[in-house]
Amino acid sequence: MKSGVALIEKLALCFGPSSCEAEVEQAIREELQGCGAILSTDRMGNLTAHLPGPENAPRIMISAHMDEVGFMITEIEKEGYLRVDRVGGYDHAVLTGRMLTLGNEEKRIPGVIAAKGIHQMTAKERRELPELKDLYVDIGTKDREETEKVLERGDFAVFDTPFCRFGKDGAYIKCKALDDRLGCAVLIEVLRAVEQLSLPLDLWFCFTVREEIGRSGALVTANRVRPDFGIVLETTAIADVADVEPSRRVATVGEGGVLSLMDRSTVYDRGLIEFALQTGAKNAIPVQVKRYVSGGNDAAHVQRSGSGVRCMALSAPTRYLHAPVSVAAVKDYESMIGLLTRMLTDWKEEMK
């Protein structure tokens, strides 16, 4: 059983583009074996770990999504090269030359995203960024027949990025898929922290699928769980880098988990936000408020499920989101675990 940075690493390195999350689910199940929660997986692949509470206890759904951005193979050229389309959103400017892992639930094939060499480009082509349709994936085969022996249309690909700690004392981590394997790791750690406490809460720890392509996993899960409260664990793009004016710096790496007031799909519950801020202040746990309205997450569907759900989003501030490499701070991960654990153990009776 892993914890801390080792747990994030295990989950982040899993192969899990949207609608192909089985490897991630299996890794999470391994980490939850022997815990006191009731584990179940629905038809879509959403995994839930239920810690039942007393009758009429507040029902709280805490969720993180298992999927990551990636690609799907759409065509195999006669020369053996692959054409792909996006699964989730990312900037195509960062793609050329990147290593990929291609496959599905059962196979893994290495490849590289390629394009016409700069020496063969016209002056106009050098000034313009290549679009995804102009790129291809090379897996080292000589023709279509050889490629079709190992891959087919409908197979997937994700970025092939090693996990690394860097900075003073390893304060930062970098890898693919921190969105949202870091959130999944927080969820596991919090479950472990509270499972033996017999809290007066009905707790549902939910690992959802397909967030990057429409959040349908969260919709199905919320309609099944029917929570009173929803807490979504995420990462958030922050722009705390050089040459970005302060007004556009969403949050700061190293200053704690990020509470959203509003994003492009959800207005969050002020009572929950105030409770989180008070809990952080009372327990000296760093927490910050998102200073920009952008993005969206599973809360959009959780909030609108059933007769309505009071929702909060707590995110890790993350640099270079939806890119081959993302960067987060270990101390933010730890503060998210601490804050959510304290919120659950100190849950206010007036929260109804």
Side-chain angles (χ1 to χ4, degrees):
M1 188 170 66
K2 297 184 181 297
S3 61
V5 172
L7 178 58
I8 305 173
E9 178 178 6
K10 176 180 178 177
L11 299 183
L13 291 176
C14 289
F15 183 94
S18 299
S19 78
C20 190
E21 298 96 340
E23 182 177 319
V24 188
E25 183 209 352
Q26 181 57 39
I28 293 170
R29 277 186 169 273
E30 289 173 1
E31 293 299 321
L32 295 180
Q33 289 304 311
C35 76
I38 302 167
L39 304 182
S40 63
T41 302
D42 65 22
R43 295 173 182 172
M44 288 186 68
N46 299 292
L47 171 63
T48 58
H50 182 204
L51 291 176
E55 186 177 357
N56 298 321
R59 183 171 297 182
I60 304 173
M61 173 180 168
I62 314 169
S63 69
H65 67 88
M66 296 186 287
D67 58 316
E68 63 188 292
V69 297
F71 307 86
M72 178 181 284
I73 298 171
T74 57
E75 185 57 88
I76 303 175
E77 303 285 359
K78 64 179 181 179
E79 300 88 352
Y81 300 118
L82 303 166
R83 301 290 180 177
V84 296
D85 205 347
R86 65 184 63 224
V87 177
Y90 43 78
D91 183 359
H92 62 269
V94 302
L95 298 182
T96 304
R98 297 291 181 177
M99 290 297 298
L100 298 179
T101 299
L102 300 99
N104 54 31
E105 290 86 351
E106 300 175 350
K107 57 190 175 185
R108 302 288 181 268
I109 305 295
V112 62
I113 301 175
K116 184 190 295 186
I118 191 169
H119 301 90
Q120 285 77 46
M121 291 181 181
T122 65
K124 181 175 182 294
E125 287 173 329
R126 293 186 188 189
R127 293 192 301 269
E128 297 177 349
L129 292 174
E131 297 183 19
L132 187 58
K133 66 181 180 62
D134 300 319
L135 303 175
Y136 56 90
V137 178
D138 184 352
I139 64 166
T141 53
K142 66 179 185 296
D143 56 30
R144 178 184 290 136
E145 182 179 8
E146 186 176 350
T147 297
E148 288 179 338
K149 290 179 181 178
V150 292
L151 291 169
E152 59 185 342
R153 296 178 188 86
D155 282 341
F156 294 96
V158 298
F159 294 115
D160 179 3
T161 306
F163 188 95
C164 176
R165 291 190 74 165
F166 68 108
K168 185 179 180 180
D169 300 323
Y172 297 94
I173 56 176
K174 72 93 177 170
C175 195
K176 72 172 185 71
L178 295 182
D179 177 17
D180 187 29
R181 307 293 164 67
L182 188 150
C184 291
V186 171
L187 202 52
I188 292 170
E189 301 257 38
V190 173
L191 190 157
R192 291 171 177 169
V194 303
E195 64 170 320
Q196 301 298 327
L197 300 182
S198 299
L199 298 176
L201 304 171
D202 192 34
L203 297 175
W204 294 78
F205 296 82
C206 304
F207 303 86
T208 62
V209 299
R210 305 186 190 182
E211 192 270 351
E212 301 292 0
I213 55 169
R215 311 162 190 157
S216 54
L219 176 62
V220 169
T221 302
N223 281 329
R224 178 164 53 86
V225 173
R226 298 187 66 80
D228 302 304
F229 300 88
I231 300 175
V232 175
L233 302 175
E234 260 285 8
T235 57
T236 187
I238 53 171
D240 73 329
V241 294
D243 301 323
V244 176
E245 60 269 27
S247 64
R248 297 183 64 84
R249 296 193 177 198
V250 176
T252 304
V253 168
E255 294 189 2
V258 182
L259 294 167
S260 298
L261 301 179
M262 183 174 74
D263 58 35
R264 296 302 182 194
S265 55
T266 308
V267 177
Y268 293 94
D269 185 88
R270 286 302 182 108
L272 279 173
I273 293 168
E274 289 300 321
F275 179 30
L277 291 171
Q278 291 167 7
T279 301
K282 178 181 177 181
N283 296 279
I285 300 171
V287 60
Q288 55 187 314
V289 174
K290 189 172 181 178
R291 304 190 295 270
Y292 198 68
V293 176
S294 62
N297 55 53
D298 278 345
H301 283 327
V302 176
Q303 186 183 59
R304 294 161 176 76
S305 65
S307 56
V309 178
R310 296 178 62 180
C311 281
M312 184 187 92
L314 177 65
S315 304
T318 308
R319 294 173 180 154
Y320 329 124
L321 207 61
H322 284 205
V325 176
S326 294
V327 170
V330 177
K331 65 189 298 185
D332 292 333
Y333 171 70
E334 294 169 346
S335 72
M336 290 173 68
I337 296 169
L339 181 68
L340 184 53
T341 301
R342 291 308 314 179
M343 287 182 68
L344 295 178
T345 55
D346 297 345
W347 193 263
K348 292 186 174 184
E349 290 187 6
E350 63 266 28
M351 290 285 190
K352 296 178 181 178

